Amino acid sequence: MSLLKVEGLTVQYGEQRVVDELSFAVSGGESVGLVGESGSGKSQTALAILGLLPSQATCSGSVRFDEVELLGASNRLLNAVRARHVGIVFQDPMQALNPYLRIGRQLRQVVVAHGGVSAREADRRVIDMLRRVGLPDAERQFDAYPHQLSGGMRQRAMLASALIAGPDLLIADEPTTALDVTVQAQILELLEEIRDDTALLLITHDLGVVASRCERMLVLEKGRLVDSGPTLAMFASPGHAHTHALLAAAPRIDRATTLPAPGERSMLGVEGASVSFPARGRRRLDAVVDVSLSLRRGETLAVVGESGSGKSSLVRAVLGLLPLASGRVVYAGGELEGPVERRAMATRRDLQLVFQDPLGALDPQMRVRDIVAEPLQVHEPALSKRERQERVSAALQHVGLGADFLERFPHELSGGQAQRVAISRALILEPKVVVCDEAVAALDGSARNQVLGVLRQAQEDTGLSIIFISHDLAVVRALCHRVLVMYMGRFIEQADSAALFLRPRHPYTRALIDAVPVPDPVVPLKRAPLRGEVSSLLDPPSGCVFHPRCSNAIDTCRREQPAPRDLQGTRVACHRSEELEL
Ligand code: SF4
């Protein structure tokens, strides 16, 4: 018998149908993946099942949980089902956690609501559950407020709150999308551990996650169910063209990738860069410590590492958006000094930045035409209106956007279109170097591939050099010539992309690669390669900063900081890199 049975579910906003006659079922103990691109209706389906749609939405069909109809049910019934039988995990934990209540109290309320336990017993169960979801130092975090936890810790706290009532079904909507791959691997491992007791409806655009966790999958396109079946069979021979397209767009580390060779000429050099911020009690937080890099013409250099690794601080200092505490930046043979506003106009136009969130970076009140034209007005004011318009049209065409986009506002664009507008704005001045800060992280498969194609083409056409900050190693392998790995602001490893993925020399690099989910259900599941959290930058560990999480650490690692050195073409900072077979 089905635990959850959805029949003919339709969700509408006015005339617009976002979920269209959707039917599926989830049995007890089963893991089902609901996949599709952004806007395909996945999250609306979850909200409809849970009775959490906004009041403007109209909903029809049937949602039965354990034979009880939920669609149109009273709040009392819905609350009872949500509290006892259906756990919910969202992408953004702050949506589910009360910011004013300590984590422990929030979870205690759930346990006490079930009755029959003393406050002391409830606290014991809460701490047990916090431990089970891998929250480090569970007793201490019991008293923490949500904002005091890192993103990964908050996600675990939300998972604990969803699981503590022992639900029969867990609905997880993009539960790992905002997390580092290492934390994602831990959360997915946890979902695997609970699958004997709890059915799972996993909503995601990441087919690697579905391949590793779900025995069945449902494919949505524009609100309609277009394909469904056992995950193994659908990956082996997708029945529907859209499933095929989703599988083709799924990021996977392709070790055989070859890229056109970059030039020899150095474009940008960073020597011994350090960045620090003031912290409480006259302390300093060292976000970047003595990191060097070099970038050649026509080269793409990836900078990778978990949140807090200093990637963004490093490139912001290079661009003059943050001050360097020490070190120097050399561009075109000269030293770049001071903040961006004091740098020469020519240098400013040569170095451009593309952000992660395109909609946040584009002025919502400006039309695409004016957004893309703005840099020309600043840097080439002598252009006539007609010349400017021609340049804007050509720049948009380069990123695959036709004339019909000129008059649109940012809110009329999809995520992928907005990012292409942001890139055409960055490229219209024909810069020499573009820094992409997680520029494709928020995009799903096809939009991500479009943006990567635009960057590759610009590199081929103009010899553009790119610094590509990313936590997605599959994308890094597909796009980047060389990779610089950072951890807690420190240099970890730097090598040619092919060599680094074939034979990483640092345990941290190995763990990052192993944490990437493989979009192939035949590949056996690996254990999450990293335990624990990144240490506090305010109180970094002695010796090698990675040693608290490194299974290869020896006494020397705890005492002495490893200096970067060359090892067969790789530069690596690890005491044991010669002897370890990673
Ligand atoms: Fe691990 Fe030691 Fe190497 Fe650091 S120096 S990565 S602790 S083996």
Side-chain angles (χ1 to χ4, degrees):
M1 193 183 66
S2 302
L3 189 62
L4 176 72
K5 192 160 192 185
V6 175
E7 283 182 300
L9 177 68
T10 297
V11 180
Q12 274 181 252
Y13 289 83
E15 288 301 300
Q16 196 193 357
R17 278 192 175 199
V18 292
V19 178
D20 196 357
E21 294 281 339
L22 176 62
S23 300
F24 67 91
V26 181
S27 303
E30 194 185 22
S31 291
V32 177
L34 184 60
V35 304
E37 299 194 312
S38 341
S40 58
K42 310 182 296 284
S43 296
Q44 293 294 320
T45 302
L47 294 175
I49 293 170
L50 296 160
L52 294 173
L53 282 171
S55 56
Q56 319 86 285
T58 52
C59 201
S60 60
S62 164
V63 174
R64 295 177 80 79
F65 179 81
D66 216 3
E67 295 297 301
V68 177
E69 179 61 54
L70 298 186
L71 225 55
S74 66
N75 278 340
R76 201 170 151 183
L77 175 67
L78 286 169
N79 282 339
V81 170
R82 290 195 294 250
R84 286 174 184 269
H85 303 292
V86 183
I88 314 159
V89 179
F90 295 105
Q91 178 177 346
D92 175 11
M94 287 313 259
Q95 243 179 301
L97 297 173
N98 181 339
Y100 303 109
L101 266 189
R102 296 177 195 275
I103 294 291
R105 279 193 65 184
Q106 299 194 35
L107 270 75
R108 183 201 289 155
Q109 283 177 349
V110 182
V111 180
V112 170
H114 280 66
V117 284
S118 65
R120 204 182 159 134
E121 171 59 14
D123 287 358
R124 191 194 61 74
R125 286 196 199 171
V126 169
I127 288 173
D128 264 7
M129 181 49 79
L130 291 178
R131 277 204 198 106
R132 211 176 147 204
V133 298
L135 203 70
D137 208 352
E139 282 87 354
R140 196 158 60 87
Q141 306 307 357
F142 184 94
D143 287 323
Y145 288 99
H147 73 268
Q148 292 172 315
L149 304 182
S150 69
M153 284 155 82
R154 274 203 292 268
Q155 193 63 303
R156 276 178 245 209
M158 180 165 59
L159 200 53
S161 115
L163 293 177
I164 197 153
D168 307 303
L169 171 69
L170 181 70
I171 298 182
D173 186 359
E174 302 280 7
T176 58
T177 302
L179 304 177
D180 287 313
V181 279
T182 48
V183 183
Q184 169 174 275
Q186 293 171 17
I187 300 278
L188 293 177
E189 191 172 285
L190 192 70
L191 293 179
E192 180 69 14
E193 281 169 27
I194 59 160
R195 69 191 286 167
D196 285 347
D197 309 317
T198 311
L200 175 67
L201 179 62
L202 181 61
I203 294 170
T204 179
H205 69 274
D206 188 335
L207 290 175
V209 170
V210 172
S212 60
R213 287 294 173 269
C214 301
E215 54 255 31
R216 212 151 54 77
M217 63 188 249
L218 313 162
V219 180
L220 282 190
E221 185 187 19
K222 295 184 187 137
R224 287 190 150 263
L225 183 68
V226 294
D227 205 0
S228 65
T231 307
L232 265 172
M234 287 180 69
F235 270 72
S237 91
H240 192 277
H242 190 62
T243 313
H244 207 282
L246 288 178
L247 284 170
R252 57 193 83 213
I253 295 176
D254 181 357
R255 290 183 168 79
T257 304
T258 50
L259 296 165
E264 286 301 315
R265 187 153 63 91
S266 170
M267 288 304 292
L268 184 75
V270 177
E271 295 164 17
S274 295
V275 177
S276 64
F277 299 104
R280 247 187 291 168
R282 294 202 198 161
R283 295 163 79 191
R284 304 280 308 170
L285 182 152
D286 295 321
V288 179
V289 182
D290 195 14
V291 175
S292 301
L293 63 84
S294 65
L295 182 68
R296 288 174 288 173
R297 185 167 192 274
E299 184 179 42
T300 305
L301 171 72
V303 184
V304 304
E306 291 165 285
S307 316
S309 62
K311 313 179 291 274
S312 294
S313 298
L314 173 66
V315 297
R316 277 173 167 66
V318 170
L319 294 171
L321 299 169
L322 282 177
L324 274 176
S326 61
R328 62 187 210 126
V329 180
V330 177
Y331 172 69
E335 187 166 342
L336 288 184
E337 284 178 293
V340 64
E341 58 275 14
R342 282 205 245 129
R343 291 183 178 176
M345 287 295 265
T347 312
R348 285 164 66 175
R349 74 178 282 167
D350 280 357
L351 306 178
Q352 295 287 325
L353 175 63
V354 177
F355 294 97
Q356 172 174 358
D357 172 18
L359 285 170
L362 304 179
D363 186 334
Q365 292 177 350
M366 284 171 77
R367 292 182 191 276
V368 166
R369 162 201 304 285
D370 300 321
I371 290 171
V372 180
E374 201 175 42
L376 289 178
Q377 278 162 339
V378 176
H379 291 273
E380 298 184 34
L383 285 182
S384 70
K385 194 173 170 201
R386 198 162 138 238
E387 286 169 324
R388 211 164 41 231
Q389 280 176 359
E390 281 170 7
R391 291 271 295 272
V392 168
S393 297
L396 283 172
Q397 220 152 37
H398 261 118
V399 298
L401 299 177
D404 51 323
F405 282 88
L406 286 167
E407 301 303 321
R408 292 199 197 176
F409 287 100
H411 73 267
E412 295 172 297
L413 304 171
S414 69
Q417 289 162 350
Q419 193 58 291
R420 282 187 281 161
V421 169
I423 290 177
S424 71
R425 180 187 153 97
L427 296 182
I428 198 164
L429 295 170
E430 296 183 4
K432 304 285 190 290
V433 178
V434 167
V435 174
C436 296
D437 190 354
E438 297 282 6
V440 295
L443 307 181
D444 51 33
S446 55
R448 182 185 55 235
N449 290 345
Q450 281 168 356
V451 168
L452 295 180
V454 166
L455 291 172
R456 270 194 212 102
Q457 193 60 50
Q459 188 162 66
E460 210 176 300
D461 294 345
T462 66
L464 179 71
S465 305
I466 303 170
I467 296 182
F468 192 79
I469 298 181
S470 181
H471 68 274
D472 186 335
L473 291 189
V475 170
V476 164
R477 181 65 189 98
L479 185 77
C480 304
H481 298 91
R482 265 186 320 131
V483 184
L484 164 66
V485 185
M486 292 178 69
Y487 183 76
M488 288 187 70
R490 274 72 170 177
F491 174 95
I492 288 293
E493 180 166 6
Q494 183 170 225
D496 279 350
S497 194
L500 185 114
F501 281 91
L502 199 64
R503 175 136 195 227
R505 297 289 192 164
H506 195 288
Y508 180 59
T509 313
R510 171 88 270 166
L512 284 182
I513 295 173
D514 283 351
V516 178
V518 181
D520 186 348
V522 177
V523 175
L525 214 62
K526 281 189 189 157
R527 240 176 93 71
L530 267 190
R531 305 275 127 193
E533 294 274 326
V534 180
S535 307
S536 164
L537 282 172
L538 277 171
D539 191 15
S542 59
C544 171
V545 287
F546 184 59
H547 87 249
R549 299 172 86 189
C550 182
S551 55
N552 302 295
I554 52 174
D555 275 352
T556 315
C557 306
R558 288 179 262 276
R559 280 195 319 265
E560 292 169 30
Q561 193 180 330
R565 64 214 157 92
D566 293 319
L567 184 65
Q568 295 168 350
T570 294
R571 194 157 174 78
V572 57
C574 169
H575 291 302
R576 306 189 63 197
S577 48
E578 272 120 336
E579 53 176 305
L580 292 176
E581 287 293 331
L582 297 172

